[in-house]
Amino acid sequence: MKSQDSALIRVGLAALLVCSLITQGKFCFGQTISSATNPEKLDEYSNLTTDDEAAHLDLFADKLFRQPGLRGQIVAYSDPRMPRGSYLRRIHGIAKYLSYARGIETNRIAVIDGGYKEQLSTELWLIPEGANPPTPTPKLPQPSVNTSSAYIFDEECLDCSEAVGLTLYGLDEGLQFYAEALRKYSGARGLIIVRPDEDVSLRKVLNEARRAKSLLVKKYGIDASRVAIKSARSRNDGTAVAEMWVVPAGAKFPSTASNEALQLTAR
């Protein structure tokens, strides 16, 4: 009987101790459950170099690799001055890097366009199974699109190479976003303006543009008559680029500021 009483006393004292610790905030069942069921923002960064951003992504991938029950979510915010296509290629390129370079299954990674902030910003979230994803927190309203004049949707450097590939190539995989923009405005036309430089010839940039147009037609279903290709003189910074424009119905094509020698239109 005494042994039973002693056992009951020990249980009671243990219960009191636990309650005391909970009251003091030193032990909390709720926190344990919360940390396992709520999303966790692992990282947030803005305007990093490619190598630095890759280091952040590698840490993110390591967390996902070590905890297969978690999903990863990339919540990104665009700088309103950044071409829409360049932004979309960047954030979806991050997901490709995590899958193809770091071996995370594609169905465990989601990309969320969070809206706009003062500068390009990226959040890396860990989502436990069954947890609701985080709600984006944009700081700026969506910029209005001037449907009366042409605008640059994307721009791809044709003689740049990243040490680590974090961006989808604009004249290949990245064309999906350009095609979506052209489909969204059914009366709009597409215009690809290419600018050579000392290292990338006019012939080469035109061939890249023709290949891109072929992909828009064959892979993404854009009518060939809606896409034109023009060449222009080199940029002042000496970089070979392809500019992808959206020209709304009734709007004029932008001036290419070309020399007579570069007044070429590819069909």
Side-chain angles (χ1 to χ4, degrees):
M1 189 70 174
K2 288 183 178 181
S3 61
Q4 290 179 345
D5 290 342
S6 298
L8 289 173
I9 290 171
R10 286 196 297 270
V11 171
L13 288 172
L16 286 172
L17 178 60
V18 169
C19 290
S20 176
L21 291 172
I22 291 173
T23 302
Q24 297 174 38
K26 296 180 179 178
F27 185 91
C28 180
F29 290 113
Q31 285 184 342
T32 303
I33 295 171
S34 174
S35 65
T37 59
N38 286 346
E40 173 193 352
K41 182 163 68 174
L42 178 69
D43 201 354
E44 181 176 8
Y45 56 84
S46 300
N47 294 335
L48 297 178
T49 65
T50 300
D51 286 347
D52 287 343
E53 184 173 11
H56 286 253
L57 295 172
D58 290 346
L59 175 62
F60 187 45
D62 184 65
K63 290 283 187 181
L64 291 170
F65 184 78
R66 292 175 182 274
Q67 301 183 66
L70 295 177
R71 292 176 291 114
Q73 184 158 296
I74 302 159
V75 181
Y77 303 89
S78 180
D79 182 329
R81 297 162 296 185
M82 188 176 187
R84 184 68 177 165
S86 301
Y87 161 72
L88 292 172
R89 288 192 294 110
R90 183 67 180 206
I91 65 175
H92 287 273
I94 290 172
K96 181 179 179 181
Y97 172 81
L98 290 169
S99 295
Y100 286 81
R102 290 295 174 258
I104 306 301
E105 298 90 335
T106 56
N107 62 359
R108 293 181 61 204
I109 302 169
V111 177
I112 303 297
D113 174 15
Y116 292 84
K117 288 187 176 181
E118 290 78 4
Q119 59 182 344
L120 177 65
S121 178
T122 306
E123 299 172 355
L124 304 178
W125 288 81
L126 299 171
I127 316 295
E129 186 175 355
N132 293 323
T135 301
T137 55
K139 300 298 184 183
L140 298 176
Q142 180 176 346
S144 59
V145 176
N146 185 353
T147 57
S148 62
S149 61
Y151 61 92
I152 291 183
F153 178 80
D154 199 355
E155 183 177 283
E156 176 63 72
C157 177
L158 299 178
D159 59 357
C160 302
S161 58
E162 296 178 335
V164 181
L166 297 182
T167 306
L168 300 181
Y169 182 52
L171 298 181
D172 193 339
E173 296 169 294
L175 287 172
Q176 59 183 298
F177 308 114
Y178 189 37
E180 287 173 7
L182 293 175
R183 283 194 291 265
K184 182 177 180 180
Y185 303 103
S186 57
R189 294 163 294 170
L191 172 64
I192 302 175
I193 299 177
V194 291
R195 300 178 184 271
D197 66 8
E198 293 181 355
D199 299 317
V200 183
S201 68
L202 176 61
R203 181 182 297 276
K204 183 174 181 179
V205 295
L206 283 173
N207 284 340
E208 283 290 289
R210 293 186 182 108
R211 189 175 70 87
K213 178 176 178 177
S214 178
L215 285 172
L216 285 169
V217 173
K218 296 177 181 179
K219 186 173 181 179
Y220 298 107
I222 303 299
D223 192 282
S225 64
R226 294 182 62 196
V227 182
I229 300 172
K230 292 183 179 294
S231 63
R233 73 172 59 166
S234 301
R235 296 198 328 186
N236 291 335
D237 63 5
T239 303
V241 298
E243 302 166 357
M244 283 150 275
W245 291 73
V246 173
V247 186
K252 295 181 179 180
F253 273 31
S255 171
T256 55
S258 302
N259 292 325
E260 287 297 320
L262 295 183
Q263 287 283 2
L264 302 176
T265 301
R267 294 183 172 83

